[in-house]
Amino acid sequence: SYEELFGGLSTATVVQPPSVTLRSETSTTIQFTLNGTPVTVDFSKNTSLTPNTTLAEYLRTTTFTGTKIFCHEGGCGVCVVSVTYTDLSSNETVTRSIHSCLRPLATCNGLSIVTNDGLGNAQTGYHPIQKALAQYNGSQCGFCSNGFVMTMYSLLSENPNLTPLQIEQAFDGNLCRCTGYRPILDAMKTFATVTDDGKPKDGHCEDEDSCRKTGCKRSKAGTLPFPDVEDVSSFLPKLEPYRHVAPKKHVNIPLRAVSSSSAAHRLVFEENGTIWQDCPTLTDLNTWLPWYVSEGYDPMLVVAQTSLGVYPTPAPQVKLNINAVPEFHQVSQSSAGITVGSATTISSLISILRNAKGDQAYQTAHFSQAALHLQRIASHPLRNIASIFGNIAVTVRHQSTSNYFCGDGATVLYGLGTTFLLYDTVAQTNLTLTMGDLFDTDLKGKYCISLTIPWALENEHFMSYKIAMRQVNAHSYLNAAMRCVVNPTTKAIQGSPYLVFGGVNSKPTRFTSVETAMVGVTVTDGAAFQSLATTLSGLLNPTVFMGKQAFRKSVALNYFYKFFLFLQGASVPTALQTGVQCWFTRPESSGTQVFQPNPAEYPVSIGIPKLESLQQTSGHAKYTEDLARPVGTVYACVVLATQANCQIASIDASAAQAMPGFVAILTAADMPTGTNAWQMGEILSSGQINYHGQSIAVVLATTQRRSWECADAVVVTYKNVATPITTIAQAVAANSFIPASATPPAVTRGNATQAMATAQTVVSGSISLGYQYHFHMENQAVLVIPREDVLEVHSATQMLVPLQQQVSAVTGYPMSKVVVSVKRCGGGFGGKLSNSILPASIAAFCAVKLGCPVHLTVDLQQTTRMLGCRSGKVMDYTVGVNNDGTIVALNANVICAAGVNPTDVMGTDVVTIHSLDNAYYIPNANISGQMVTMNIPSSTAVRGPGWVPGIHFGESIISAIASKLNMDPVAVREKNFFTKGQTTCDGMILTYWDMPAIWSQLKQNANYTARVAAVDTFNTNNRWIKRGLAMTPCRFGVGQSGANFDCVVNIYPDGTVSITHGGAEIGQGINTKVIQVAALKLGITQDNLSLICVNETSTRSCSAASNVTGGSITSELCALAVMHACETLQRRIAPFRQANQTWQQLIGACSGAGIELTATGFTNAPVNTSGIFNYNSNGAALSEVELDVLTGQIEVRQVDIVFDCGISLNPTIDIGQLEGGFLFGLGYYLQEDPSWDPTTGAPNQGSTWEYKPPCAYDVPISFNIALLKNAPNPVGVLGSKATGEPGVALASSVVQAVESAVTAARAANGLGSTRWVATSLPLTVDVIQQACGTVASNLAF
C-alpha cells in the first residue's frame, strides 16, 4: 500500500561521477498542465522547492487552494486531485484520483492535473458534482469536500457507467468528520447510470417509495414527483441528468512515457544534501544505482513514494525516479502465469487479475479473491499510484521485530506462489526469487523487473483474510493466505498446500510443518482439523509489536478454521455457512430523513442546505490556511519535546541555523518577563518538561517545508528523566488527584447510603471510557500580521475573545489593538477552543519579536503530541435495585484524566456527573467527580464533553442491572424512565418531558417487536455470525447561562443585508440559520435569501461580551441576537411599508428618509431556575449490529433515531448534525483509542496510520432519522432545540447492541446466557473478539 522500492539513509558525502554521458542529458525543469494551463517549474530557480516537495505543497502556493493538506500521509483524502497521463502498460490515456500530499512534485512531468477549484466556479458555472454535493447538504465544514468531488470526478473519468455500490466503494480514502457520510453518498450516487443488479438507470425511480429507499432523487422532470413536505427529499432542488466526458490527453506537454533512447528527458537536482534524479531507462538505472551504492548510499527507487506516508523518516538522501522505465510496466501471459512489471500500480493489478483469461477456466480461480484483498490495501487514490512491488518492498525492508510492516500485498502474493525477477546492478546478474527468498535478500543495489503470479491448478482453492482496526484503509493486525488442492471425490487435501500468516512474525511466514500435515486430511474431518489446529497453535507466538497477542493468535487459528469451512464448499452445514466469509461484504447503504416544517415561520424551518455550500464544494471557500500571506511572511514550526516528565538539558540549533531558509529560533529566554504563560502552563518551556509534545522552541524559516526541516534539525537533550504517568490507573496509584477543594461538588439527592440498605439487589462495577482526538480536518492554523497600529490575528478558532485576551497578554498590545478574525473553520468539535490559543500565542509572540507576518500551522502529528483530546474516564458505581429492575439508590464516582492541567476538564467533570442519570429517575443518589493529573497534554472539550461519557455511564449501569437480574435491558429502561414533573438528580424540574412519545414512535418506526424476533431467529440459525439489537434514550441537557452573543445587522440602500455575529462557523450551519431568521423577521422571502450575507467573525465588529462557540447553543443564541436586531430594524422601517411594495422599494424609501438601518442585537442568556441546564434535547436510537464471532468484526446493519428538535430552524442542517454526531460517537465507542508510550509519553496513535475514525464503510447500512412532530420547545428560539452534540450520545445504542451480540456468541460458545457488559471502551475489534470467548475446541464441523 505504500511505495518504497528500496530506501535508506547513508552519511556519505555526495560525489559526482567522473564522466558519464547521461549526466549531460539532464534538465532542472518539468512541465505539466494545471487546470488546463501549461506550467513550467524550474527547480534550479525556485529555491523554495526541494526533492521532498509534494504536489499538494506546490498547489498550495498557487491560486488553486481548494486542494487541502491535513495528514501528509494519504490517510484522509482532503488532498485528492485528478491526474491524466499515458499508462505505460497499455499506452492509453487514463485519468485517476491520487493523494497529492504524497506525490512528489518532481514526478509530475507530463501530467494533466485538475483540482476542484479548476472544475467550476460562480463565474463560469459550477460542475454538476459540486452542485450535487452542495444540494444534498453533503458539505458541513467543507474542508473534506474537495477530496470527495475530485474522487468522484476521477471515478467517472475511469468509468462513466457506475452502479451506486461501486460509487460507495470508491470513497474508502476520503474521510469526513462532520456529515456522517450519508448525504455525501446520496449526492454521489445520483451519478450512477446502472443499478446494482445491472439494469440501466434512467434518472427516474418507479415510484415515490422506491425513490426514498434508494436515495435517488435525480429527476429529469422539472419538479420532483412527490410533494410530501415531511421528507427531506422534497426540499432537494432539481438535478439535471449528467453524462461525464473523460479528460483528453494534453498533447502540448510531452508525457514522461519515454523509450529506452538515451535522449530521454531527465530531471536532476540537489538541494540541502538530498538528490533527485530521474532514471527513465534501464541504462540510466544500471549506471546510476551501482555508482551511488559504491559511494555509500542506499538510494530510494521511487515510483510514487507513498511509503513516506508510513515511514517518513529517515529521509533518503538519494531518490532515483524509475516510474518511466518501460520494462517496469509490461504485462504478459505465459504458461507460467501472468507477469506484470514491478511498477504496475495496485489498481492496475486488480484490474488485470479481474480481467485475466487462461486456457482453462480454473486457471484464474484465485484471482478474484486476490483482487478483493488487494482492494483492501490503503485507499482508491493511493492504489492508483502505489506500485505492487513497492508495497512488497516496504514489507521486505521493514522486518524489525519492534517495527515491521504487515503488508497485505506480500501475504496475498506469497500465498499465490508468486516469483520475482530482480537484477543485481553490482553483481550484474539476474535473480529469480520466491517470496520467501525475497524476505532474506538485501535489496541494496538491486531492482525488481517483474513478478509472475502462477495459474491455479485444477481443483485448487485459495482464500485470503485480513483483520484491521477499520474495514478499509487500515493496516492489518493479522492477514493470511491459504491455498491447497482438494480431491473433488474424497475431499482429501493433496499436493503442496500453502499456509501463510502475516502479523504473527516480523514477516509473512509459511507454516510448513502444518502444510505437510495437511496432506491427506479430509476437509470434513473435525478430529483431524483439531489435531492440525493444536499443532498450529503451538507455532503461533505473535510478536510484542502491535500488541493484542492473544487476539492475533486466536484470529489466526480461526482463519485456519474458516479456510476448512471454505474447502467444504456446498457440503458445509447450514448453521456454519456464515463462518465461511473472509470479511463482511457490505451492500449499498440507504436512509430516510423525516421532519415536520412550520410554514408559518418560512423561510425558517425550511430544509435547505448551507448557503455557503457551493463555495465549499467548489473549493473556493477560504479557510485560515488559504489566506494570502503578505510579502515577507515567515513560517513557524514548533520544536516539541520528545520525552515526558523530565527537564531540558540543552538545545542545539546549530544544524538548523546552517540550513537554507533558516531565519531564527526563539525560546522561553526570548520572551519578556511575565508573558510566558497561557491557561495550560508555559507557552515555551523554561526548563521543566511535563509531557511529550510540550513546546520548547519555535523555528522560523522562509517556507513552510523549510521550517519543518529546520525544526527537525534542532537537537534537544534531557536530564532528570522520570517515568511518566500515562494512564488513570497509574495516576490513582501515584495519588495524583486534584485537591478536593478544586473538584466540582457532588450531585446528591435523598440518602443513597440508607436507601442502598433497603435494595433487594445490589450491583457494583467499574466502567472505563477512553480518549478521543478531535480529528478536525483543518489543522490548527494562524496568520499574525503586525499592522501600523494593530495586530491582526487570523486564527482557525472557536473562541475569539479569549484568544484576543491571550494574545494581548503575550504581546503587550491592548485588546483594542488585537483584532482576531475567522471566516470559517474546517471543523472544530471543541478542538478550536483552548487548543487554538497556544499556536496563536506562539505566532503572535514571533510576529512582534521579528516585526513581520508569521504563519504557523500545527499539523495532525504535532497536534496529537502538543494539544489535548477528550479525557479518559473511569466510573466506579454501586446501584441498588428491586428485583423488578426499579432503581432505589446509586453511588457513583467518576475519575477524569486531566492531563497536565485541569483547567478545561473541570467543566467536563461537572457535566459528566450532572448527565449520568440520563433519562432515569433515581430517588437517592450520590454522584461525585474527581480529576487526576498525568504526563499527557491537558485534556480539553471534544464534541459533547461530559454529556457523552455521562450518558453512556448511565446506560452501562442499566445494562449491568439487566445482566444481574436477567432482564431485558429495554424493560429496565422503561421501568425507570422519568415521568413529567419529576426532578433530575441535579434539581432540574421536567415540566416538559416527551421521552415516552419518542420511545413509542421509535418502536413503531423501527418495527421493534418484529425485529427482536428476527434477530433471535437469526442467532438460533447461525453459529458464527450473531446479531444484536438495542434501544437507548438520550436526555442531553442544554445549558445557556452566561453564553451571551452580540451581532450587527446592516441594511444597505440597494436592499442587501449584512450580518456580523459573535459565533464561529465551524460546519454547524450557523450562518444559514441566522440568515433564515433575519429573513423571517425582516420579511424577506425565501427566493431573496441571497440578499443577505454573513461577514467574517471579528473582534473588530463584535464586543468582548460574545462567548465561545460550543455546547450546541451558538447557532440558536446568535439567531436570537439577530432576531433582536432585526426586530429593532423592523420597527424603524414599518412606517414606510406599503401594499405591493418590493423589499428594495421599501429600503429605498427608508434610505431617502434618513432612517438608521444599522442595529445591534445582544443575547442575554436566561439563568437556569433548576439544575445547570435550561432545557433538554431528547432522543432515542435503535441500533442493530452483526458480529463475526471468529474475528470480532462488526457491521452496523441499521440505526433508527427519533429526536426532539423542537421546531427545527433548518431540518436539513439539524438532521445532518445528528447523523454526523452519531458517526462521531461510533468512533468514540468502537474505534478511536488514543494511548501514550509508557516510557517516553509519545502518542501511540498520533497519525492516520494508527488512528482510524469512522469512514464511509462505517455508515449504518440503513440509517433512518425522524424528528419528533408537534414538539415546539417552549424556551427555545422560535421553538427550536440544539442538535450539534446529542447525536454523539445516541451512538451508545450501538455499544448495547454489541453487548447483545457478544452475549449470543458467548452462549453459543458454552459460556452461559448471562448478559455480557462492556466494562472498557472503546470496543475495538480485538476487545470484541476476545469477549466472545472462542477457543479451539469450539471450532467444530
Side-chain angles (χ1 to χ4, degrees):
S1 60
Y2 297 93
E3 189 65 29
E4 180 182 73
L5 293 180
F6 335 123
L9 178 65
S10 169
T11 57
T13 302
V14 176
V15 180
Q16 298 297 330
S19 176
V20 180
T21 302
L22 295 176
R23 172 67 78 172
S24 65
E25 299 162 359
T26 62
S27 171
T28 60
T29 66
I30 60 172
Q31 293 179 300
F32 53 86
T33 63
L34 178 57
N35 294 322
T37 300
V39 174
T40 299
V41 175
D42 191 332
F43 287 86
S44 67
K45 294 181 179 179
N46 189 338
T47 57
S48 67
L49 303 177
T50 77
N52 298 318
T53 301
T54 66
L55 173 58
E57 290 171 38
Y58 172 78
L59 292 173
R60 301 288 305 161
T61 67
T62 72
T63 58
F64 298 108
T65 58
T67 302
K68 310 300 183 187
I69 299 177
F70 173 54
C71 70
H72 303 280
E73 298 171 332
C76 66
V78 302
C79 69
V80 171
V81 299
S82 181
V83 297
T84 300
Y85 60 96
T86 298
D87 181 79
L88 296 184
S89 62
S90 63
N91 203 33
E92 295 179 351
T93 297
V94 297
T95 299
R96 298 288 184 264
S97 59
I98 69 166
H99 290 296
S100 63
C101 76
L102 291 178
R103 181 81 182 208
L105 178 63
T107 66
C108 293
N109 190 69
L111 300 182
S112 291
I113 301 166
V114 177
T115 69
N116 184 27
D117 36 2
L119 281 184
N121 54 54
Q123 289 71 40
T124 62
Y126 293 106
H127 192 278
I129 300 173
Q130 297 169 337
K131 290 193 285 187
L133 186 59
Q135 291 169 354
Y136 274 75
N137 196 42
S139 181
Q140 289 188 18
C141 84
F143 206 78
C144 71
S145 299
N146 300 277
F148 277 96
V149 169
M150 294 316 298
T151 297
M152 189 70 226
Y153 175 82
S154 302
L155 185 65
L156 288 172
S157 299
E158 292 180 51
N159 177 13
N161 299 308
L162 295 163
T163 69
L165 182 59
Q166 287 174 324
I167 290 173
E168 283 199 12
Q169 291 173 339
F171 292 101
D172 57 358
N174 296 84
L175 296 181
C176 174
R177 197 59 156 166
C178 296
T179 65
Y181 297 100
R182 193 275 313 162
I184 297 175
L185 298 178
D186 277 1
M188 298 311 181
K189 286 187 292 186
T190 64
F191 296 96
T193 60
V194 182
T195 62
D196 288 331
D197 58 2
K199 296 178 181 179
K201 198 167 181 286
D202 65 358
H204 286 288
C205 290
E206 294 179 2
D207 53 37
E208 171 184 336
D209 185 60
S210 63
C211 183
R212 288 178 180 155
K213 288 180 179 178
T214 61
C216 170
K217 298 148 184 121
R218 182 176 295 277
S219 175
K220 289 182 180 177
T223 58
L224 289 164
F226 48 93
D228 184 357
V229 296
E230 293 185 352
D231 193 292
V232 163
S233 58
S234 64
F235 289 100
L236 291 172
K238 169 192 170 186
L239 291 174
E240 295 293 342
Y242 170 69
R243 189 69 176 176
H244 187 79
V245 178
K248 296 181 180 179
K249 176 180 176 181
H250 186 75
V251 297
N252 294 328
I253 302 295
L255 298 181
R256 185 53 68 88
V258 296
S259 68
S260 59
S261 166
S262 62
H265 173 87
R266 298 170 181 83
L267 174 67
V268 178
F269 69 103
E270 178 181 353
E271 200 276 340
N272 197 27
T274 301
I275 299 171
W276 179 278
Q277 181 161 343
D278 285 353
C279 291
T281 71
L282 286 181
T283 300
D284 292 89
L285 189 56
N286 290 335
T287 299
W288 288 106
L289 180 57
W291 182 83
Y292 279 115
V293 170
S294 71
E295 294 297 324
Y297 292 93
D298 189 4
M300 170 184 273
L301 303 189
V302 174
V303 172
Q305 193 179 275
T306 55
S307 67
L308 296 187
V310 185
Y311 298 104
T313 57
Q317 285 182 297
V318 178
K319 298 181 180 182
L320 302 182
N321 177 19
I322 63 170
N323 191 31
V325 176
E327 290 83 352
F328 293 167
H329 294 270
Q330 293 178 354
V331 180
S332 63
Q333 288 187 193
S334 68
S335 59
I338 293 179
T339 298
V340 298
S342 60
T344 301
T345 66
I346 297 173
S347 289
S348 295
L349 179 58
I350 292 170
S351 179
I352 290 167
L353 292 173
R354 285 177 171 163
N355 295 307
K357 305 272 185 207
D359 294 336
Q360 303 294 330
Y362 64 78
Q363 290 181 311
T364 59
H366 306 341
F367 291 173
S368 175
Q369 174 60 26
L372 281 173
H373 196 138
L374 294 177
Q375 196 169 333
R376 296 222 160 196
I377 293 175
S379 64
H380 187 70
L382 196 142
R383 293 190 297 270
N384 284 339
I385 57 173
S387 74
I388 184 57
F389 189 75
N391 178 264
I392 294 165
V394 179
T395 306
V396 175
R397 296 296 301 237
H398 297 275
Q399 296 187 43
S400 167
T401 56
S402 62
N403 185 12
Y404 59 82
F405 182 78
C406 185
D408 291 290
T411 297
V412 170
L413 294 182
Y414 200 176
L416 290 172
T418 305
T419 58
F420 301 84
L421 177 61
L422 273 68
Y423 183 72
D424 186 333
T425 62
V426 177
Q428 299 184 18
T429 57
N430 285 330
L431 301 171
T432 300
L433 305 175
T434 66
M435 185 71 79
D437 297 331
L438 190 63
F439 291 135
D440 297 327
T441 300
D442 181 0
L443 296 181
K444 187 174 182 178
K446 304 176 182 69
Y447 60 81
C448 180
I449 300 171
S450 63
L451 50 144
T452 299
I453 304 172
W455 302 114
L457 302 176
E458 189 172 10
N459 299 318
E460 188 174 50
H461 302 268
F462 170 83
M463 185 51 65
S464 63
Y465 306 91
K466 171 178 181 173
I467 191 68
M469 61 191 83
R470 190 172 62 195
Q471 286 200 49
V472 294
N473 201 9
H475 69 79
S476 295
Y477 286 134
L478 182 96
N479 52 39
M482 306 177 197
R483 175 169 56 95
C484 69
V485 174
V486 176
N487 186 300
T489 303
T490 66
K491 298 297 183 182
I493 296 174
Q494 299 176 337
S496 301
Y498 260 61
L499 185 63
V500 180
F501 287 101
V504 174
N505 301 319
S506 61
K507 61 184 178 182
T509 305
R510 284 184 67 180
F511 288 78
T512 53
S513 61
V514 180
E515 293 173 354
T516 302
M518 289 170 64
V519 177
V521 170
T522 303
V523 298
T524 56
D525 186 340
F529 170 80
Q530 284 292 325
S531 177
L532 291 170
T534 300
T535 301
L536 178 60
S537 178
L539 299 172
L540 293 169
N541 295 298
T543 58
V544 173
F545 177 67
M546 287 203 298
K548 314 177 193 304
Q549 290 96 318
F551 160 71
R552 286 153 59 205
K553 179 172 182 174
S554 178
V555 172
L557 276 176
N558 294 348
Y559 279 159
F560 189 49
Y561 174 70
K562 280 178 173 283
F563 184 58
F564 266 71
L565 292 179
F566 166 70
L567 295 177
Q568 294 176 28
S571 65
V572 67
T574 302
L576 303 183
Q577 288 176 357
T578 51
V580 175
Q581 67 177 24
C582 54
W583 48 65
F584 283 122
T585 301
R586 182 180 171 86
E588 179 195 351
S589 65
S590 63
T592 58
Q593 309 84 42
V594 178
F595 65 92
Q596 182 184 53
N598 181 6
E601 292 185 352
Y602 284 1
V604 170
S605 90
I606 292 179
I608 58 175
K610 284 183 58 177
L611 297 177
E612 311 102 317
S613 57
L614 268 174
Q615 290 97 314
Q616 293 176 181
T617 62
S618 64
H620 294 282
K622 297 300 180 184
Y623 301 81
T624 301
E625 185 75 2
D626 301 330
L627 299 178
R629 291 92 191 246
V631 175
T633 298
V634 298
Y635 295 80
C637 182
V638 184
V639 178
L640 304 179
T642 57
Q643 175 63 52
N645 203 8
C646 61
Q647 292 177 320
I648 298 172
S650 65
I651 302 173
D652 182 1
S654 57
Q657 290 166 336
M659 295 176 69
F662 175 86
V663 173
I665 179 169
L666 301 175
T667 67
D670 298 297
M671 301 189 73
T673 302
T675 64
N676 188 18
W678 71 301
Q679 65 193 70
M680 301 299 186
E682 290 186 320
I683 295 171
L684 298 176
S685 172
S686 61
Q688 179 64 38
I689 298 297
N690 295 310
Y691 65 96
H692 178 111
Q694 188 171 341
S695 50
I696 292 176
V698 57
V699 171
L700 298 113
T702 54
T703 70
Q704 183 94 75
R705 175 164 284 279
R706 293 195 189 281
S707 72
W708 301 336
E709 294 172 347
C710 290
D712 287 342
V714 175
V715 178
V716 181
T717 61
Y718 307 95
K719 61 183 180 181
N720 301 326
V721 177
T723 301
I725 296 174
T726 60
T727 68
I728 292 177
Q730 289 174 326
V732 171
N735 198 31
S736 186
F737 289 96
I738 302 297
S741 59
T743 59
V747 174
T748 61
R749 176 162 62 183
N751 190 316
T753 302
Q754 290 182 1
M756 195 74 69
T758 69
Q760 295 173 332
T761 300
V762 175
V763 183
S764 296
S766 180
I767 306 291
S768 66
L769 289 172
Y771 304 78
Q772 186 180 30
Y773 290 124
H774 304 89
F775 207 84
H776 38 68
M777 305 295 280
E778 176 197 30
N779 286 313
Q780 299 284 350
V782 59
L783 173 64
V784 180
I785 307 172
R787 298 291 190 189
E788 180 180 351
D789 59 347
V790 299
L791 194 66
E792 287 186 8
V793 181
H794 301 275
S795 172
T797 184
Q798 295 175 240
M799 50 191 308
L800 284 80
V801 175
L803 190 147
Q804 179 191 30
Q805 291 172 318
Q806 177 63 43
V807 169
S808 173
V810 171
T811 63
Y813 277 66
M815 287 183 66
S816 61
K817 293 189 176 183
V818 176
V819 180
V820 181
S821 303
V822 61
K823 177 64 176 175
R824 59 176 59 84
C825 291
F829 320 114
K832 305 289 176 65
L833 293 169
S834 298
N835 281 2
S836 69
I837 288 182
L838 181 57
S841 300
I842 292 172
F845 155 62
C846 294
V848 172
K849 185 74 174 179
L850 299 183
C852 65
V854 171
H855 178 273
L856 171 61
T857 295
V858 182
D859 64 20
L860 172 64
Q861 292 80 1
Q862 291 173 310
T863 295
T864 56
R865 295 172 62 195
M866 178 181 179
L867 301 170
C869 63
R870 189 192 297 273
S871 64
K873 293 178 175 62
V874 175
M875 176 188 69
D876 297 311
Y877 68 92
T878 299
V879 60
V881 296
N882 291 331
N883 290 338
D884 64 355
T886 303
I887 298 174
V888 174
L890 172 67
N891 278 316
N893 181 63
V894 178
I895 301 175
C896 288
V900 298
N901 188 295
T903 301
D904 276 8
V905 84
M906 286 183 180
T908 298
D909 201 22
V910 170
V911 176
T912 299
I913 62 178
H914 282 255
S915 301
L916 202 143
D917 57 348
N918 194 19
Y920 310 112
Y921 179 71
I922 305 174
N924 301 279
N926 181 20
I927 307 170
S928 58
Q930 293 176 289
M931 294 170 283
V932 289
T933 57
M934 300 159 59
N935 297 117
I936 62 174
S938 299
S939 299
T940 190
V942 179
R943 195 171 190 176
W947 291 275
V948 172
I951 289 168
H952 180 77
F953 280 147
E955 292 308 308
S956 293
I957 292 172
I958 295 294
S959 186
I961 294 169
S963 176
K964 182 72 172 181
L965 298 178
N966 195 27
M967 289 181 63
D968 180 353
V970 168
V972 177
R973 290 183 171 93
E974 292 174 344
K975 192 73 175 176
N976 290 284
F977 275 156
F978 286 116
T979 59
K980 186 176 180 179
Q982 285 185 328
T983 305
T984 65
C985 284
D986 67 349
M988 183 181 191
I989 302 171
L990 299 177
T991 55
Y992 179 80
W993 180 245
D994 56 8
M995 186 60 73
I998 292 171
W999 199 252
S1000 175
Q1001 183 177 331
L1002 179 59
K1003 281 189 169 183
Q1004 178 180 345
N1005 290 0
N1007 199 15
Y1008 174 73
T1009 302
R1011 286 176 60 194
V1012 169
V1015 166
D1016 289 342
T1017 299
F1018 180 90
N1019 288 343
T1020 299
N1021 295 334
N1022 291 276
R1023 175 67 177 87
W1024 295 117
I1025 299 293
K1026 299 297 181 182
R1027 291 177 180 172
L1029 194 71
M1031 189 170 171
T1032 62
C1034 164
R1035 177 183 68 87
F1036 193 98
V1038 179
Q1040 299 173 335
S1041 294
N1044 301 317
F1045 291 88
D1046 58 357
C1047 74
V1048 179
V1049 179
N1050 293 296
I1051 304 177
Y1052 298 93
D1054 63 353
T1056 57
V1057 181
S1058 74
I1059 300 171
T1060 304
H1061 59 72
E1065 172 62 73
I1066 58 175
Q1068 80 279 49
I1070 183 173
N1071 291 343
T1072 298
K1073 286 183 175 181
V1074 300
I1075 287 174
Q1076 289 177 276
V1077 168
L1080 170 67
K1081 290 300 178 180
L1082 294 176
I1084 298 175
T1085 63
Q1086 179 185 354
D1087 293 339
N1088 288 316
L1089 289 181
S1090 60
L1091 292 174
I1092 310 174
C1093 71
V1094 176
N1095 301 319
E1096 69 176 3
T1097 303
S1098 174
T1099 58
R1100 192 193 302 271
S1101 304
C1102 289
S1103 72
S1106 278
N1107 209 286
V1108 302
T1109 297
S1112 299
I1113 59 174
T1114 311
S1115 291
E1116 58 183 323
L1117 293 185
C1118 284
L1120 182 60
V1122 169
M1123 283 175 56
H1124 293 333
C1126 290
E1127 287 166 352
T1128 298
L1129 291 169
Q1130 180 67 11
R1131 287 192 294 270
R1132 294 174 187 168
I1133 66 178
F1136 297 87
R1137 286 191 180 274
Q1138 297 179 8
N1140 302 317
Q1141 183 186 44
T1142 68
W1143 169 256
Q1144 286 83 355
Q1145 289 171 337
L1146 170 61
I1147 298 306
C1150 293
S1151 297
I1155 300 300
E1156 181 185 2
L1157 295 178
T1158 295
T1160 61
F1162 184 74
T1163 302
N1164 190 1
V1167 177
N1168 303 325
T1169 57
S1170 62
I1172 66 171
F1173 303 124
N1174 294 78
Y1175 66 84
N1176 296 306
S1177 285
N1178 299 321
L1182 178 69
S1183 293
E1184 181 179 341
V1185 302
E1186 195 163 78
L1187 161 66
D1188 185 330
V1189 178
L1190 295 170
T1191 66
Q1193 183 188 0
I1194 68 163
E1195 191 160 67
V1196 182
R1197 287 173 45 81
Q1198 184 168 335
V1199 171
D1200 297 271
I1201 292 173
V1202 174
F1203 186 78
D1204 173 13
C1205 195
I1207 301 298
S1208 170
L1209 298 179
N1210 186 316
T1212 297
I1213 288 175
D1214 285 333
I1215 288 173
Q1217 289 289 291
L1218 288 169
E1219 291 172 326
F1222 192 90
L1223 264 289
F1224 204 101
L1226 280 187
Y1228 176 50
Y1229 293 128
L1230 301 181
Q1231 294 175 206
E1232 301 171 49
D1233 191 19
S1235 63
W1236 290 265
D1237 184 88
T1239 302
T1240 66
N1244 294 322
Q1245 293 81 22
S1247 69
T1248 58
W1249 180 245
E1250 293 291 348
Y1251 195 74
K1252 302 294 181 181
C1255 68
Y1257 276 60
D1258 296 307
V1259 179
I1261 295 171
S1262 178
F1263 199 4
N1264 309 298
I1265 293 183
L1267 301 185
L1268 188 67
K1269 301 179 182 180
N1270 303 316
N1273 180 10
V1275 296
V1277 177
L1278 297 176
S1280 67
K1281 285 191 175 185
T1283 59
E1285 294 167 308
V1288 186
L1290 287 168
S1292 179
S1293 60
V1294 175
V1295 176
Q1296 313 302 319
V1298 171
E1299 289 183 348
S1300 297
V1302 170
T1303 300
R1306 291 173 61 85
N1309 281 336
L1311 299 176
S1313 60
T1314 300
R1315 181 176 180 82
W1316 177 79
V1317 178
T1319 58
S1320 180
L1321 274 72
L1323 290 180
T1324 51
V1325 62
D1326 57 302
V1327 173
I1328 295 172
Q1329 194 273 343
Q1330 290 288 282
C1332 292
T1334 306
V1335 295
S1337 59
N1338 296 131
L1339 307 179
F1341 300 147

